[in-house]
Amino acid sequence: GQQVMQIPQYQHVQEGEDFTTYCNSSTTLSNIQWYKQRPGGHPVFLIQLVKSGEVKKQKRLTFQFGEAKKNSSLHITATQTTDVGTYFCAPSGGYQKVTFGTGTKLQVIP
Amino acid sequence: DAGVTQSPTHLIKTRGQQVTLRCSPKSGHDTVSWYQQALGQGPQFIFQYYEEEERQRGNFPDRFSGHQFPNYSSELNVNALLLGDSALYLCASRTLGNTGELFFGEGSRLTVL
């Protein structure tokens, strides 16, 4: 099955610093979704990327899908304490089954 | 418009017992997926139901079974509980024709003693 790894596993940043998490797959992906899970909460959908090389922005968040559709990244500019949580990439595969990566836990220090 | 609702929110069982967890999908959604999330881990796909049939299954033993009813609600059953089954069980719904987002419920926290 699909193996999706995310790096780093943990990241501590000072408020105002930038943050990036990377998602790498051993196989070519049809599309990839990103979710955020706050501590004690449930995953919440952020975005879906479908096209090779696609870049999408949501305010301070920038999402990118690699040209080979085997990797993706999420970049947050000028982190805020509200960005705290775990970020998961989640490829959507056969019959739209969505599997989750290993996640990157972000801690923002005020 | 209610989102995805799950019950119970918390429960405690002992090894060997059986548990049933319930999920009502978001209005208009016809596909329900179940995930197991152990502490500090990402959600692991258990199975997906559409039109009352299991369509996809993850790497979980037969002790894990499910059902989808005509109103699209779903149940997850786990038999012969093990300590390692302790986790947050998440239900997510979507419309199959839409390749977009999953909507998650708050989850059922299962503790096996």
Side-chain angles (χ1 to χ4, degrees), chain B residues 43-82:
Chain B
Q44 298 297 308
F45 177 80
I46 302 175
F47 41 52
Q48 174 180 277
Y49 276 83
Y50 171 68
E51 290 187 336
E52 302 179 50
E53 290 191 16
E54 183 183 294
R55 302 290 180 170
Q56 290 268 351
R57 189 178 182 91
N59 189 25
F60 279 81
D62 292 344
R63 297 187 298 109
F64 290 77
S65 63
H67 190 78
Q68 185 179 35
F69 299 93
N71 66 353
Y72 308 118
S73 67
S74 178
E75 287 182 350
L76 163 65
N77 300 290
V78 187
N79 295 321
L81 285 167
L82 305 174

Side-chain angles (χ1 to χ4, degrees), chain A residues 37 45 48 94-96 98, chain B residues 35 37 56 94 96 99 101:
Chain A
Q37 186 173 23
F45 176 83
Q48 176 168 278
Y95 221 85
Q96 302 172 355
V98 178
Chain B
Y35 290 82
Q37 187 173 28
Q56 290 268 351
R94 71 197 304 186
L96 190 63
T99 56
E101 63 184 292

Side-chain angles (χ1 to χ4, degrees), chain A residues 9-30:
Chain A
Q9 188 176 2
Y10 301 96
Q11 184 81 59
H12 291 75
V13 298
Q14 289 288 141
E15 189 172 16
E17 291 182 337
D18 291 356
F19 159 77
T20 303
T21 174
Y22 300 91
C23 179
N24 297 297
S25 171
S26 57
T27 59
T28 302
L29 304 172
S30 299

